[in-house]
Amino acid sequence: AQSVTQLDSHVSVSEGTPVLLRCNYSSSYSPSLFWYVQHPNKGLQLLLKYTSAATLVKGINGFEAEFKKSETSFHLTKPSAHMSDAAEYFCAVNTGTASKLTFGTGTRL
Amino acid sequence: ETGVTQTPRHLVMGMTNKKSLKCEQHLGHNAMYWYKQSAKKPLELMFVYNFKEQTENNSVPSRFSPECPNSSHLFLHLHTLQPEDSALYLCASSHPGGGRSPLHFGNGTRLTVT
């Protein structure tokens, strides 16, 4: 079984300050992990993905995430927030061979 | 332009109506998905199609009927819906058979059942 827990439903930061959105996962096998962003009235857009290569993954718009197996975490960070980053962020995990993602409940930034 | 186009963007229907949602992808993918997004709940996978064959039905009520005539098009036929079916319905596509393949989403259809 696989699951994702996004630890904060809302995160508020000032423009220009760092962003940290937390995600913990549970899986029986080596996971693939994803972060998506959803702006109002839009679908989900892929920010970045981890698929067992480098543990520090860089994505679009200055975001990055670090896979920490010992902590079963995949937190999303950005050094300096911008107004345009205001959106809903979803962490997702897949441990199977099919593209069947399990999503977290989202964090509103 | 997301590469995955959903129509209509908004739909209001009564409980006795029949309507259809349409999804089209121009990304050359062979797997397509329907997800339901309700407020305060995680995205719920509804159906998965790989190479036009349904490979996943996540215990979805029969009032939702999917159709995948080819790898580029996906429909969701709706009939006798309930108010609790009001939600954002998202279509997605990906390369098939790979857990490492990310999903590409459309902008969704906002459905309101009255």
Side-chain angles (χ1 to χ4, degrees):
Chain A
Q2 58 191 33
S3 67
V4 169
T5 302
Q6 291 186 245
L7 299 163
D8 306 294
S9 58
H10 285 86
V11 170
S12 182
V13 301
S14 299
E15 192 170 23
T17 64
V19 175
L20 170 63
L21 305 183
R22 298 183 293 168
C23 173
N24 285 95
Y25 69 91
S26 173
S27 73
S28 302
Y29 305 99
S30 296
S32 295
L33 293 156
F34 306 82
W35 275 100
Y36 286 85
V37 60
Q38 186 178 30
H39 291 277
N41 301 313
K42 297 287 188 181
L44 278 70
Q45 179 187 14
L46 180 69
L47 274 179
L48 49 82
K49 63 178 181 179
Y50 166 77
T51 57
S52 76
T55 56
L56 182 62
V57 181
K58 294 188 183 299
I60 62 172
N61 301 335
F63 285 94
E64 62 182 36
E66 186 172 9
F67 173 69
K68 292 187 177 180
K69 185 176 180 179
S70 60
E71 298 176 11
T72 61
S73 69
F74 190 58
H75 301 333
L76 182 70
T77 61
K78 182 173 181 177
S80 177
H82 191 272
M83 287 296 292
S84 60
D85 295 328
E88 188 99 23
Y89 292 79
F90 294 92
C91 183
V93 64
N94 190 349
T95 54
T97 56
S99 289
K100 186 179 171 183
L101 295 184
T102 299
F103 286 87
T105 52
T107 299
R108 182 165 298 279
L109 178 63
Chain B
E1 181 58 51
T2 64
V4 179
T5 303
Q6 291 187 242
T7 55
R9 291 297 312 277
H10 300 273
L11 178 63
V12 179
M13 58 186 289
M15 290 190 285
T16 58
N17 291 160
K18 289 184 179 181
K19 297 285 185 183
S20 295
L21 310 185
K22 179 182 176 182
C23 176
E24 184 174 359
Q25 59 95 4
H26 305 280
L27 300 170
H29 293 156
N30 285 299
M32 296 189 78
Y33 310 76
W34 281 116
Y35 277 85
K36 177 182 179 182
Q37 185 176 32
S38 305
K40 309 297 184 185
K41 294 176 69 174
L43 270 76
E44 301 172 56
L45 178 64
M46 299 175 72
F47 302 102
V48 182
Y49 280 81
N50 281 284
F51 295 96
K52 304 187 297 180
E53 298 298 321
Q54 187 181 119
T55 54
E56 184 91 20
N57 177 338
N58 199 22
S59 303
V60 180
S62 60
R63 58 185 183 270
F64 295 91
S65 175
E67 179 190 2
C68 189
N70 55 62
S71 293
S72 297
H73 294 85
L74 184 65
F75 295 88
L76 188 62
H77 304 299
L78 316 171
H79 65 96
T80 325
L81 294 190
Q82 305 298 311
E84 60 265 29
D85 298 323
S86 298
L88 182 67
Y89 289 84
L90 292 164
C91 173
S93 68
S94 76
H95 293 295
R100 288 161 169 64
S101 298
L103 301 181
H104 295 256
F105 286 86
N107 286 329
T109 294
R110 174 70 62 185
L111 174 67
T112 303
V113 181
T114 62

